Amino acid sequence: MLDTIPYAQRQRLAYIDFCLLFRGSVHRNDLVQRFEVGLSAGSRDFAMYKELAPENLTYNTKEKRYFQTEQFVPLFEHDAQRTLVKLANDISDGFDAIGDVHFPVEAPSTLNVPNIFIVARIVQAMLNGRAISVSYTSLSSGNVTRELVPHAIVDNGLRWHVRAFDRKSESFRDFVLTRVRAVNFVDAAPAPHEEAEADHEWQRMIPLQLTPHPHNIDYPKAIEMDYGMRNSLLSVEVRAAMAGYLLRRWNVDCTTNAALRGPEYQLWLQNRTTLMDVGNLAIAPGYDSKGE
């Protein structure tokens, strides 16, 4: 039946589906404002969605909002990788559910694609200020259960992870999304010290000064052009919590004297002292907190 519905209305139905999946609720005004349609048209869209998937939503008369039910099954297929990219760029329209225009541009093969329903539950928790209990497979502890207060989902260039306060270790940590097997909401509301504002590594921005590697590059002008450098210098600001990921992804030599050799090290971190008191730097190439 979806194939017989006009494209514009399918977009709006996909948006309703997307909001129910990732937010857990949707208001008629959300639809009206997003697509600039009248209230009557919005009402018809919700009526159509309820006809197609009657078990997916329930209306709360007090809040005047539709909520996801426990029996919810997405009406559209939401591709995990594309949806994560859209969420990361604040393009939460759900249009991928009905197919975007495809351009002849290829991306690297993706080996790490999280379960879309796991992602949806975590996003719901973040948007609604909820804590969650997750079944997680840890490299050091195997299968464990953790109570988390998530506040961000991040692409570190190699895989997706969720940044969250871990109630067991009482600290903010990164958890790989593909290692999460199940997510459930818990009643214990987040405390102020568990929320994003208290994540100092996340809130703190640090400057990185990158230059062409002084020993591994014969023609540094090529590197300057690759990274849009000015006077052989690229200055970027990054969250302290993300610094290690960026330095690893770009294979930045973090040694004091640019000591790493090999064609993969095309950049050198000129101001390595900026990394003082930054955690998660074990993956930064050549970084030694002692400065050796």
Side-chain angles (χ1 to χ4, degrees):
M1 184 175 177
L2 284 173
D3 294 337
T4 66
I5 298 174
Y7 181 81
Q9 187 174 30
R10 275 189 288 146
Q11 286 185 328
R12 299 194 295 273
L13 294 176
Y15 180 74
I16 293 172
D17 201 54
F18 185 92
C19 288
L20 288 171
L21 177 60
F22 287 94
R23 296 180 184 171
S25 67
V26 60
H27 193 283
R28 184 176 61 171
N29 283 340
D30 296 333
L31 196 69
V32 170
Q33 294 175 8
R34 170 70 70 171
F35 296 97
E36 299 182 352
V37 296
L39 291 175
S40 58
S43 297
R44 287 195 297 271
D45 290 332
F46 277 100
M48 173 63 74
Y49 185 91
K50 194 167 183 65
E51 179 182 344
L52 294 169
E55 302 297 324
N56 274 8
L57 72 171
T58 182
Y59 186 70
N60 185 302
T61 55
K62 183 178 180 180
E63 298 191 30
K64 296 182 179 180
R65 179 179 293 273
Y66 292 91
F67 284 87
Q68 179 196 100
T69 65
E70 292 184 1
Q71 297 78 30
F72 178 84
V73 176
L75 183 60
F76 295 85
E77 181 180 350
H78 300 273
D79 178 82
Q81 188 68 18
R82 294 171 66 194
T83 299
L84 280 167
V85 171
K86 289 192 174 189
L87 286 170
N89 291 279
D90 196 26
I91 311 174
S92 54
D93 50 25
F95 287 178
D96 59 297
I98 56 176
D100 288 327
V101 177
H102 292 283
F103 295 94
V105 178
E106 289 293 327
S109 297
T110 302
L111 300 179
N112 182 281
V113 181
N115 183 308
I116 194 69
F117 299 105
I118 295 293
V119 174
R121 296 285 280 182
I122 294 174
V123 171
Q124 279 190 48
M126 291 189 296
L127 293 178
N128 296 292
R130 300 285 300 276
I132 55 177
S133 174
V134 302
S135 298
Y136 189 77
T137 302
S138 166
L139 282 175
S140 59
S141 306
N143 295 334
V144 296
T145 299
R146 288 281 190 273
E147 277 198 15
L148 309 177
V149 180
H151 69 73
I153 290 179
V154 181
D155 175 13
N156 68 12
L158 297 174
R159 59 194 182 187
W160 293 91
H161 68 257
V162 56
R163 181 78 174 174
F165 183 84
D166 174 23
R167 284 178 168 170
K168 181 176 181 180
S169 65
E170 296 187 343
S171 63
F172 287 94
R173 296 189 173 187
D174 299 338
F175 295 86
V176 182
L177 281 177
T178 49
R179 297 180 189 167
V180 179
R181 304 187 309 279
V183 179
N184 293 292
F185 297 120
V186 299
D187 294 331
H193 71 278
E194 299 176 327
E195 298 178 343
E197 290 74 14
D199 187 350
H200 303 300
E201 289 284 282
W202 182 262
Q203 300 296 341
R204 182 160 65 105
M205 303 297 292
I206 61 174
L208 301 178
Q209 295 179 355
L210 308 177
T211 67
H213 200 285
H215 307 303
N216 298 336
I217 303 298
D218 293 329
Y219 300 98
K221 183 63 177 179
I223 302 302
E224 293 177 23
M225 296 173 67
D226 284 346
Y227 293 92
M229 293 181 177
R230 292 187 177 182
N231 299 319
S232 298
L233 180 68
L234 173 65
S235 297
V236 296
E237 281 203 343
V238 62
R239 297 185 187 277
M242 297 290 292
Y245 296 126
L246 183 144
L247 294 167
R248 179 185 182 185
R249 183 180 185 180
W250 287 4
N251 283 326
V252 179
D253 182 345
C254 300
T255 60
T256 304
N257 300 312
L260 297 183
R261 296 293 183 269
E264 68 271 29
Y265 301 112
Q266 299 180 346
L267 298 171
W268 175 53
L269 179 63
Q270 183 173 275
N271 63 331
R272 70 185 306 279
T273 56
T274 194
L275 300 179
M276 293 289 290
D277 301 322
V278 174
N280 195 29
L281 290 178
I283 60 175
Y287 181 77
D288 184 341
S289 59
K290 298 178 181 179
E292 299 176 355

